[in-house]
Amino acid sequence: MDVILFLIFATIAVVCAINVVVQTHPISSALSLVGVMGSLAVLYLLLGAEFIAAAQVIVYAGAIMVLFIFVIMLLNAGAEVKKGQSTMALFLGVPLLAGLLIVMCWYLQSWFPIGTTVHFGGFQSTAPHTGPLAQSGGSAHEVGIALFTRYLLPFEVTSVLILIAILGAIVLARKEID
Amino acid sequence: MDAFIIISLAKILVVFAVLMTTLAYLQWVERKVIAHIQVRPGPYRVGPHGLLQPLADVIKLITKEDLVPPYVNKPLYLLAPFLAITMALLSISVIPFGPSITVAGHTTFMQLTDLNMGVLFVLAVSSLGVYGIALAGWSSNNKYALIGGLRSSAQMISYELPLSLAIAAPLLISNTLSLRELVDKQDGGIWHWNLIHGGQIISFIIFLIAAFAETNRVPFDLPEAENELVAGFHTEYSSMKFASFFMAEYANMITVSCMATLLFLGGWGAPWPAEYGSSLVPAVIFAFAGVVALYHGINAERRRDKKTFPVFGVIFLIIAVVFLLPMVQGWLVPLFWFCAKTGGILFTFMWIRGTLPRFRYDQLMGFTWKFLFPVAVLNLLVTGFVVALLP
Amino acid sequence: MDGIPISWFLTLSAILFALGVAGFLFRRNIITVFMSIELMLNAVNLSFITFSYKLQKVDGHLLAFFVMVVAAAEAAVGLAIILTVFKNRSTLNIDDIDTLKN
């Protein structure tokens, strides 16, 4: 059951990713990227990362990609014009790419033999601060405790980073008032 | 495993049927409420008191010509209403309507699925609902639709921020993301609700204001107002696709009202414990409604009312008797309280629609970024302090 | 088999990353280049969470969370820069934005 889910959503992710790279109009690329993020969110759920899956949909698919789509709609630049495509590059490139991917998969397979398998519910929290019921290791409780104890400094630094980004975006996109 | 699948399928069917009927009749209620606020009768002729008006509307929308203009971007044009209605209905799947119910020996929650991060799921699905509107505006290839779509999506994502912060404050108090546990922690009467005991009045108000903007309702409905932008993002849509946007808006309204009930008003808990007679309240209310309807039926001015009001009176009295039966009290009375609270918030939606004028777009955006968001942050800060410092 | 081998997730992450690199190198529209960067970041997030599952610790989730936050900040500023570039050059083709070239 987990294998079927993984295969379905991994296929959707790869097809959408190829679509992102191949499509001419930026809107189609953007929507395919939303599809990639959605299927990745399901894969995170399989890996027990519930909070990150929800954050992926809320932040990435629901805010960042909406921002992309806004900019594409505002600029309205239209589809990309292809010029200078050589078929020789296609003939040489795609088999080389496939060969590279096969070698890479073989190496990954040999480093991580079949031993560790992922199944839904395999990541349980073992910390002593959980209550009598075991929680998923990636639940909001676990992520929250780690975020505010061990990773407090990066958390505060990223807050400042977001503030800087907000100021930068406002300054860059503002119309001159004179 | 089999029983689980059959029970789940049965629950899905029941919830879907009830939800679709509620969506249709919510429109009837809205038209009646706004009509009475404006001192006119509203839908009155189609069936007794216009009760068959939603049916007439559905028949009209289904049989209308489904026109797909030739200049639209077809895949996105067809995808947009689908996305809107799917996301709107998906968030109902984690809303609990009551405690557990036992049917034919199987005990199950009155909820389609109890995720332990239910609040995040609802937030995620409502974030995705923005795509339906943005794509509808873009694919229509129409200036007014594009401006309406962009304004509407910008409004929705701007108001998601105070909404999330207003949701975070009672979560600090209840300490759980599961919607069922939220209600279980507010058990015991009105003084345990997050609104009173947790002091979350400001959060409640911020949540309601942000919910009005999220669902594109008055006073924040400039992007789809009829006298401003033709019809906003759904200008080029007809028949069932237009109906999808309509249904999506009402389903979103139901979702945010249910969330407000679960987060702030204690879900299906009665305002005072059952020992002091709160299980009799539904029966009393319906009996009173039945008596009033019978009285007005007998002394009616309009000839049609002389026939319809007594029928309604008898129906209400029968429902009152049903509420007194001991075998259904375990699940029917909590369901009544949940529906009463959600209905109260929905009535507030309609009340405000009939009362307030609409904001201009720059006033709307200025309101959220300069006032609502800082207030929500301050509220979260104060709640955090109180939770941390009080034992 | 009763589960999914870990290497499958890492392979998927590698494929997505490679596709992101391909999009970054071969596309001419500046917004599509930006989206390929986001694709690469997503692939890395998948990798982080996979390793977090393998080591049964939650730290990978935290790192993925920070990657998401940084990606959000980068998207905001990057899109503002793209808007400014479009206002000045009226084109989104990165081949035409070459006034610094000699």
Side-chain angles (χ1 to χ4, degrees):
Chain A
M1 185 62 195
D2 298 335
V3 180
I4 302 173
L5 273 178
F6 172 80
L7 286 174
I8 293 176
F9 285 101
T11 316
I12 295 178
V14 170
V15 166
C16 285
I18 295 179
N19 225 8
V20 170
V21 174
V22 160
Q23 285 279 350
T24 47
H25 202 293
I27 274 269
S28 322
S29 300
L31 291 173
S32 312
L33 193 57
V34 176
V36 172
M37 290 172 181
S39 31
L40 280 182
V42 176
L43 293 177
Y44 294 164
L45 282 175
L46 268 179
L47 286 165
E50 326 173 321
F51 182 75
I52 297 295
Q56 167 100 342
V57 177
I58 298 178
V59 170
Y60 244 129
I64 298 181
M65 291 315 297
V66 172
L67 189 60
F68 267 98
I69 286 184
F70 263 37
V71 169
I72 295 174
M73 287 182 188
L74 277 174
L75 295 186
N76 199 15
E80 199 174 298
V81 176
K82 278 199 190 305
K83 32 187 189 190
Q85 269 249 322
S86 71
T87 19
M88 183 55 112
L90 211 62
F91 266 125
L92 277 181
V94 174
L96 271 179
L97 179 68
L100 176 66
L101 280 176
I102 292 175
V103 169
M104 189 176 59
C105 296
W106 189 81
Y107 263 115
L108 280 172
Q109 191 78 25
S110 64
W111 282 335
F112 297 95
I114 302 268
T116 318
T117 54
V118 173
H119 55 274
F120 184 62
F123 186 19
Q124 295 291 336
S125 137
T126 51
H129 50 255
T130 55
L133 299 165
Q135 292 196 38
S136 161
S139 65
H141 181 94
E142 291 295 317
V143 171
I145 289 196
L147 187 63
F148 291 109
T149 51
R150 298 201 296 278
Y151 287 87
L152 187 58
L153 180 62
F155 177 70
E156 299 295 337
V157 169
T158 44
S159 317
V160 178
L161 176 73
I162 296 179
L163 181 64
I164 297 174
I166 293 176
L167 292 174
I170 292 178
V171 165
L172 279 172
R174 188 180 55 171
K175 284 201 273 267
E176 296 301 326
I177 306 172
D178 52 31
Chain B
M1 191 63 188
D2 289 327
F4 175 69
I5 295 181
I6 296 179
I7 293 177
S8 299
L9 281 175
K11 277 200 283 196
I12 292 176
L13 280 175
V14 167
V15 168
F16 186 70
V18 171
L19 185 65
M20 286 291 141
T21 318
T22 311
L23 283 177
Y25 277 91
L26 202 61
Q27 204 206 352
W28 176 84
V29 173
E30 167 158 31
R31 288 172 72 171
K32 277 298 215 186
V33 165
I34 292 180
H36 284 287
I37 291 178
Q38 297 169 347
V39 196
R40 55 183 174 88
Y44 186 67
R45 300 194 176 276
V46 187
H49 291 279
L51 276 174
L52 292 181
Q53 180 75 36
L55 187 61
D57 280 335
V58 165
I59 294 178
K60 176 199 82 170
L61 282 172
I62 292 181
T63 56
K64 233 182 191 179
E65 179 190 0
D66 192 13
L67 183 68
V68 175
Y71 45 81
V72 302
N73 183 346
K74 274 242 181 42
L76 295 182
Y77 182 84
L78 297 174
L79 180 67
F82 172 73
L83 267 182
I85 188 79
T86 306
M87 295 306 152
L89 292 180
L90 199 57
S91 41
I92 305 280
S93 60
V94 289
I95 305 242
F97 300 106
S100 44
I101 178 178
T102 308
V103 169
H106 294 282
T107 312
T108 174
F109 285 139
M110 290 174 85
Q111 183 182 17
L112 284 183
T113 165
D114 185 22
L115 295 180
N116 60 342
M117 42 161 220
V119 177
L120 288 181
F121 181 81
V122 173
L123 279 177
V125 166
S126 73
S127 301
L128 289 179
V130 176
Y131 281 107
I133 297 183
L135 291 178
W138 165 261
S139 66
S140 300
N141 206 357
N142 175 344
K143 290 193 276 291
Y144 301 109
L146 180 63
I147 296 183
L150 281 179
R151 279 187 184 175
S152 188
S153 356
Q155 169 190 323
M156 283 172 85
I157 59 175
S158 303
Y159 276 90
E160 261 174 34
L161 280 165
L163 188 77
S164 310
L165 289 173
I167 290 181
L171 290 181
L172 273 178
I173 295 182
S174 297
N175 227 358
T176 173
L177 285 172
S178 154
L179 289 168
R180 179 161 291 272
E181 273 183 42
L182 262 178
V183 175
D184 287 337
K185 294 202 178 186
Q186 297 179 61
D187 207 10
I190 193 172
W191 43 89
H192 285 280
W193 293 355
N194 273 339
L195 188 64
I196 313 285
H197 175 70
Q200 296 298 318
I201 301 189
I202 300 184
S203 306
F204 184 55
I205 296 177
I206 296 175
F207 182 87
L208 276 187
I209 298 177
F212 276 102
E214 274 291 309
T215 50
N216 279 334
R217 295 281 298 183
V218 178
F220 302 109
D221 74 338
L222 190 72
E224 61 175 33
E226 279 111 30
N227 45 353
E228 301 287 342
L229 280 173
V230 189
F233 60 91
H234 45 73
T235 310
E236 299 281 351
Y237 284 90
S238 69
S239 157
M240 274 321 280
K241 298 199 264 299
F242 175 72
S244 303
F245 282 118
F246 234 47
M247 279 199 291
E249 178 177 323
Y250 281 106
N252 274 330
M253 256 170 67
I254 294 181
T255 304
V256 291
S257 306
C258 291
M259 286 295 288
T261 314
L262 294 168
L263 282 166
F264 297 101
L265 297 179
W268 59 81
W272 62 91
E275 300 93 59
Y276 303 108
S278 65
S279 343
L280 297 175
V281 169
V284 165
I285 291 180
F286 274 102
F288 182 64
V291 165
V292 166
L294 276 173
Y295 171 74
H296 278 287
I298 296 174
N299 312 359
E301 294 164 355
R302 296 178 281 209
R303 193 170 43 108
R304 184 185 295 225
D305 288 348
K306 279 206 171 72
K307 294 182 217 141
T308 54
F309 269 146
V311 172
F312 283 131
V314 169
I315 294 178
F316 284 141
L317 285 174
I318 295 178
I319 297 179
V321 168
V322 166
F323 269 108
L324 285 175
L325 295 174
M327 62 178 148
V328 298
Q329 273 205 344
W331 56 273
L332 198 60
V333 172
L335 185 64
F336 167 80
W337 284 115
F338 183 81
C339 292
K341 293 175 202 173
T342 307
I345 298 182
L346 283 169
F347 176 72
T348 312
F349 269 84
M350 299 165 192
W351 188 3
I352 291 190
R353 177 175 176 180
T355 315
L356 294 181
R358 60 173 61 99
F359 274 120
R360 219 172 52 220
Y361 190 66
D362 58 323
Q363 289 173 332
L364 199 155
M365 296 300 267
F367 179 65
T368 179
W369 287 109
K370 295 185 196 161
F371 178 73
L372 207 57
F373 180 60
V375 168
V377 170
L378 274 175
N379 171 53
L380 186 63
L381 205 62
V382 167
T383 308
F385 265 127
V386 167
V387 166
L389 294 178
L390 285 186
Chain C
M1 58 189 100
D2 65 337
I4 311 149
I6 280 261
S7 55
W8 288 18
F9 280 97
L10 297 173
T11 314
L12 176 66
S13 169
I15 293 177
L16 290 177
F17 190 83
L19 283 169
V21 172
F24 179 75
L25 291 176
F26 296 137
R27 294 302 302 260
R28 299 291 103 198
N29 191 335
I30 200 171
I31 299 186
T32 316
V33 166
F34 218 59
M35 286 195 278
S36 310
I37 299 178
E38 298 291 330
L39 187 57
M40 284 194 265
L41 288 169
N42 270 301
V44 166
N45 266 351
L46 179 63
S47 198
F48 269 133
I49 300 202
T50 309
F51 282 122
S52 167
Y53 181 94
K54 177 171 172 32
L55 298 171
Q56 294 282 309
K57 283 178 174 305
V58 80
D59 297 47
H61 296 195
L62 268 295
L63 290 172
F65 181 70
F66 287 130
V67 167
M68 259 186 239
V69 167
V70 170
E74 165 205 355
V77 177
L79 287 171
I81 293 179
I82 290 176
L83 276 175
T84 317
V85 164
F86 185 77
K87 227 183 337 187
N88 291 338
R89 305 244 161 254
S90 303
T91 176
L92 284 176
N93 195 341
I94 53 180
D95 286 332
D96 297 338
I97 309 171
D98 57 354
T99 44
L100 272 182
K101 229 200 276 195
N102 51 355

